[in-house]
Amino acid sequence: MPVCQGAITLQTLSIKASDLGLIKKKEAKPQATAKDLRPYSEKEKVGLAKRYTPEQLAAIEVGEAAVDPNDLAEQGAAREDSMKLNYLDDLSTIHPVVDKPIRAPEENYDPNLRFKTEDELTEDLTNWVKDLPDEPKRLDWMKFSDNTRVTVGKPEAELNPRSYLAPEIPKLDMLKKNVAGSEEIDASTRRLMRQTGFDHKEIRRFRVKNLIVHRVVNQTRLGKISRQYFLTVAGNGKGLIGIGEGKSSEFEEARQQAKNAAIRNMQPIPMYEGRTIFGDVKGKVSATEVELMTRPPGFGVRCQSLIFEICRCAGIQDMAARVTRSRNHMNTVKATLQALLSQRLPEEIARARGRKLVDVRKVYYGGNV
C-alpha cells in the first residue's frame, strides 16, 4: 500500500514466511495399505488363546479387518503440530515408579472360570463333615471356610485374580496406620454404636445441625438453676432423618445428648425419585400447622430456614413449605417431621382402593425413565 510523505512515495512489500524459509514443507507420508499390516502369526495366536476365548478371538480378527489402514497411518503417527506433546509416551506400557500397579500375572486369568453349583458345594460340605474328628473345634470350621473354593477352574483365578482396572487412588485415611485404633472413642459414642448398629465412620458422616439453642432456668427453693437446651436434627442425606433434644448444665454435654438422641431417633421417609416428597402433606403440633408441597425438578427447597435444614439432612432437593398459625420454632420442627412421616405411597392408596397402579411415564417412555 503506497504511503505519501511530502514528495517521496514509499511502497511496502509483502513477503511470505515460506519465502524466507521459516516454514518447513511437510513431506508426503506414504499411506499404509493392507500389505503393511502384518497378520497374527501362529505363535501370537497361541499366546492370545491363553487370554481370550475362541469367540473373543474371532471378534478381534473381525474388528481388525474392519479398520481402515489409512486411519491407522494418520492417527497412529506422531503429531507434528504446535500442540504436540514434548515427549513420546507409550500409554500401553506400565511404569512401575509412576503407575505403581499391583496386579496379578496374566497366567492367573481363566476364561472358563465359573461358580460351583449347589450340588458341588453340598458335596464339599458333606466330605468335610465325614472327615471331622470326634471332637471338632472352631479352628476346623475356620480352616474349611478359608480353604474351600467357590469356583471351578484355576485356583489362582479365584485366590489372586487378574484385573485390568487401575489401582484405587489412596485416600488420606488409608495412608495413616491404625487410624481406628489410634482414635479414642468416648463412652457415649460407643453406647450409641451398640444401640443403632452404625460404626464410627457412619456416625461421623451424618449431617448434624443444631436448630434451636437457648438457656432455660428452673426456679427452685434453692434458687435459679440454669441449663442449656439443644434441639438437633440428624440425617444421612438419603432418606434417614431424626430429631433429638438435650438438656444439661454443661454446654458440650447438652449438645452431645441432642446429637445422640437425633441419631437414635432416625427414621426412613419416603422420597419420590430421591429428590422430593409424595404429594402434599400436612402436620400439626399444638397451634403450629405445617404444609409441605411437592415440586418439579430444579425448583429447589423454598421454605423456612428450620424446614430447609431438615430437608438438607434428609436429602430432599425440591419442595415448598408453608407455616400457618403459630410459628413456634420447636413446634415447627416437630410438625415438619410429623408431616414427612405421614406420607402415603401410591401403592398403598391403590391397594386401599382396590385399583391397579400404572406409572404413565414408564409406559410412555418404555421404562427408560
Side-chain angles (χ1 to χ4, degrees):
M1 179 178 179
V3 179
C4 297
Q5 185 178 3
I8 303 175
T9 302
L10 300 178
Q11 186 75 20
T12 58
L13 300 177
S14 177
I15 303 176
K16 298 180 179 180
S18 57
D19 299 337
L20 297 177
L22 301 177
I23 299 179
K24 297 181 180 179
K25 295 182 179 180
K26 297 182 179 179
E27 299 179 357
K29 296 182 180 179
Q31 296 292 339
T33 60
K35 298 180 180 180
D36 300 331
L37 301 177
R38 182 178 60 82
Y40 287 121
S41 62
E42 295 299 331
K43 183 178 180 180
E44 293 174 341
K45 289 182 178 181
V46 172
L48 292 174
K50 297 179 180 179
R51 302 174 55 185
Y52 302 102
T53 60
E55 293 79 6
Q56 292 175 336
L57 286 176
I60 292 174
E61 294 177 356
V62 172
E64 292 187 353
V67 177
D68 188 3
N70 296 331
D71 294 341
L72 291 177
E74 294 178 0
Q75 300 179 11
R79 296 174 55 177
E80 297 184 357
D81 56 328
S82 58
M83 303 300 294
K84 68 178 181 180
L85 300 176
N86 296 328
Y87 57 90
L88 294 177
D89 193 357
D90 186 4
L91 301 181
S92 63
T93 60
I94 298 175
H95 300 280
V97 178
V98 179
D99 297 331
K100 298 180 180 179
I102 304 176
R103 292 188 175 93
E106 297 182 0
E107 292 76 10
N108 291 7
Y109 175 72
D110 186 4
N112 301 321
L113 187 70
R114 65 171 180 84
F115 285 99
K116 288 184 177 180
T117 61
E118 294 184 2
D119 297 338
E120 293 173 341
L121 293 174
T122 305
E123 183 180 358
D124 293 343
L125 182 60
T126 305
N127 296 334
W128 174 72
V129 173
K130 290 181 180 179
D131 299 337
L132 273 178
D134 297 335
E135 297 181 358
K137 300 180 180 179
R138 186 178 179 183
L139 182 61
D140 298 332
W141 168 253
M142 296 176 62
K143 290 181 179 179
F144 172 75
S145 59
D146 292 340
N147 300 329
T148 303
R149 295 182 52 197
V150 296
T151 59
V152 177
K154 288 184 178 180
E156 299 82 3
E158 177 184 350
L159 302 177
N160 189 16
R162 171 71 177 180
S163 176
Y164 294 93
L165 298 177
E168 184 181 359
I169 299 177
K171 299 180 180 179
L172 184 60
D173 295 341
M174 297 173 59
L175 299 178
K176 298 180 181 179
K177 296 182 178 179
N178 300 327
V179 177
S182 61
E183 188 175 359
E184 296 182 359
I185 304 177
D186 55 352
S188 61
T189 304
R190 293 184 182 276
R191 191 183 312 111
L192 180 64
M193 293 167 59
R194 290 195 300 267
Q195 294 172 345
T196 59
F198 299 120
D199 57 16
H200 192 216
K201 290 184 178 180
E202 291 177 332
I203 294 177
R204 293 179 59 183
R205 291 195 194 101
F206 289 148
R207 180 186 291 274
V208 181
K209 181 68 176 179
N210 299 321
L211 301 180
I212 301 174
V213 181
H214 58 72
R215 188 174 66 95
V216 295
V217 179
N218 186 20
Q219 180 67 47
T220 65
R221 63 185 181 86
L222 300 177
K224 295 181 179 180
I225 300 177
S226 63
R227 292 190 295 178
Q228 293 290 334
Y229 172 82
F230 276 79
L231 180 61
T232 304
V233 60
N236 65 345
K238 298 179 181 179
L240 277 180
I241 190 68
I243 60 174
E245 296 175 296
K247 188 184 297 183
S248 176
S249 57
E250 298 294 335
F251 185 90
E252 184 61 27
E253 185 178 352
R255 185 192 66 81
Q256 190 67 24
Q257 285 182 10
K259 174 185 174 181
N260 295 348
I263 296 176
R264 275 196 304 268
N265 298 333
M266 284 198 305
Q267 303 179 53
I269 60 173
M271 294 174 59
Y272 178 67
E273 294 181 345
R275 59 171 187 82
T276 186
I277 59 177
F278 284 90
D280 299 346
V281 291
K282 294 182 180 180
K284 182 178 183 299
V285 174
S286 187
T288 303
E289 295 181 356
V290 176
E291 182 179 0
L292 309 181
M293 296 158 284
T294 181
R295 286 295 181 264
F299 184 84
V301 180
R302 306 181 188 180
C303 55
Q304 191 191 79
S305 60
L306 298 175
I307 304 177
F308 177 82
E309 294 296 341
I310 295 176
C311 292
R312 284 189 64 188
C313 294
I316 299 175
Q317 304 173 9
D318 303 299
M319 195 190 73
R322 183 186 298 114
V323 182
T324 57
R325 297 182 64 189
S326 173
R327 285 173 171 76
N328 181 274
H329 288 178
M330 294 174 58
N331 293 339
T332 300
V333 174
K334 297 177 182 179
T336 303
L337 184 62
Q338 182 188 98
L340 291 174
L341 295 175
S342 64
Q343 299 180 63
R344 296 187 64 189
L345 298 177
E347 292 81 1
E348 298 177 357
I349 300 176
R351 193 181 306 110
R353 296 181 180 179
R355 300 301 182 98
K356 185 177 180 180
L357 179 66
V358 177
D359 196 334
V360 180
R361 299 177 312 139
K362 292 186 178 180
V363 174
Y364 183 78
Y365 292 104
N368 297 326
V369 293

